Amino acid sequence: MPGAAFARGESVVLRTVETEDVAFLQRWRNHPDVRRPLTDADPRNGEQVAEYVENRVSGDGDGFGFVVCARDREAARRRLREYDGATPALEYGDDEGGEGDAADDRPVPVGTVHMPWIRQPHASGMIMYWIAPPHHGHGYVTEATGLLLEYAFDERRIAKATAIVLETNEGSQRVLEKLGFEREGVHRRETFVDGERRDNYRYGLLADEWRARSDGRPAPARTRRRTD
């Protein structure tokens, strides 16, 4: 099951990624409602997901990531049962289906949030996130991404966070804009998805912009290099 609690919000807890999480990650990472917005057309088996966790999350590189868990465990379990009759315990090898007091104490994973790539020495990191379809619409991804950004800017000294979003993924665009990201450019017809070539939008957020929002101050004015 997900590891130790790392950061807590009102509705989510960020927990460390453990090898036991591979089944959960594989199940939902292959779901069409998750992989298509991420523009990932390749199927991912357990070995590939485990390799990703080892290299991008648990390896010696600068990247990091978390499993997002719901604080309201019972509501999250109920949504899973209503969605497809499954329970979180089944993804962690529990043949009993997760009934009983012990299951009630288990964290309920609902998604992931990562900064798997950090460009050094520029301290610029790209973020990625997804929430499993049964848990969409509950604000989990916005809060979880905010917790990751707080850690990235305040403890990892990241200077800038970036994200690439498919033009049709309006939900993800709203998440980023709520968090203060600005659309910085368009990668024209960059991605082939659902039989068509689509634009990607690049978003960016500076550390001082994040801190200004957190303090309730206006964002710092931009400066541009003179070219004349």
Side-chain angles (χ1 to χ4, degrees):
M1 70 177 63
F6 189 86
R8 298 180 183 273
E10 292 185 5
S11 61
V12 300
V13 179
L14 301 189
R15 293 182 176 272
T16 56
V17 183
E18 307 296 337
T19 56
E20 292 85 352
D21 298 320
V22 167
F24 164 76
L25 298 174
Q26 181 195 5
R27 177 190 181 191
W28 294 112
R29 189 66 173 75
N30 282 305
H31 193 287
D33 291 344
V34 172
R35 62 178 176 80
R36 285 179 177 170
L38 295 175
T39 68
D40 188 353
D42 296 330
R44 304 289 179 180
N45 62 29
E47 183 177 346
Q48 289 169 318
V49 174
E51 182 179 0
Y52 172 83
V53 170
E54 181 178 357
N55 293 338
R56 294 293 183 184
V57 179
S58 304
D60 296 330
D62 293 327
F64 55 89
F66 304 96
V67 173
V68 181
C69 295
R71 297 199 68 164
D72 189 339
R73 300 172 182 178
E74 182 52 39
R77 291 190 185 98
R78 183 175 64 252
R79 286 193 294 269
L80 274 173
R81 289 192 294 267
E82 293 172 351
Y83 186 79
D84 62 2
T87 64
L90 293 176
E91 295 172 336
Y92 292 90
D94 188 342
D95 294 333
E96 298 298 323
E99 301 297 333
D101 294 338
D104 290 342
D105 292 334
R106 293 180 179 137
V108 180
V110 297
T112 67
V113 60
H114 292 161
M115 186 174 278
W117 294 285
I118 299 176
R119 294 179 61 220
Q120 297 293 1
H122 312 291
S124 172
M126 177 178 286
I127 63 170
M128 299 176 63
Y129 46 76
W130 56 262
I131 297 294
H135 309 292
H136 286 181
H138 295 275
Y140 290 154
V141 70
T142 302
E143 185 175 35
T145 305
L147 291 171
L148 177 134
L149 291 170
E150 182 177 341
Y151 168 64
F153 289 139
D154 293 347
E155 298 188 49
R156 294 295 293 265
R157 300 184 182 182
I158 299 299
K160 181 176 182 179
T162 63
I164 303 296
V165 183
L166 192 66
E167 64 172 316
T168 54
N169 191 351
E170 296 179 357
S172 188
Q173 294 167 39
R174 286 194 295 270
V175 167
L176 295 171
E177 289 164 5
K178 284 181 183 178
L179 292 167
F181 281 78
E182 291 196 18
R183 189 185 299 177
E184 296 181 333
V186 179
H187 299 175
R188 297 178 304 152
R189 303 183 71 180
E190 182 85 2
T191 302
F192 185 76
V193 61
D194 292 335
E196 297 184 39
R197 300 218 63 90
R198 298 285 189 177
D199 292 349
N200 288 341
Y201 296 150
R202 174 188 166 97
Y203 280 83
L205 176 66
L206 303 177
D208 52 0
E209 293 172 338
W210 172 261
R211 296 189 183 103
R213 285 173 55 90
S214 300
D215 296 340
R217 297 181 284 110
R222 295 182 180 180
T223 58
R224 295 186 180 273
R225 181 179 299 174
R226 293 179 61 111
T227 58
D228 56 347

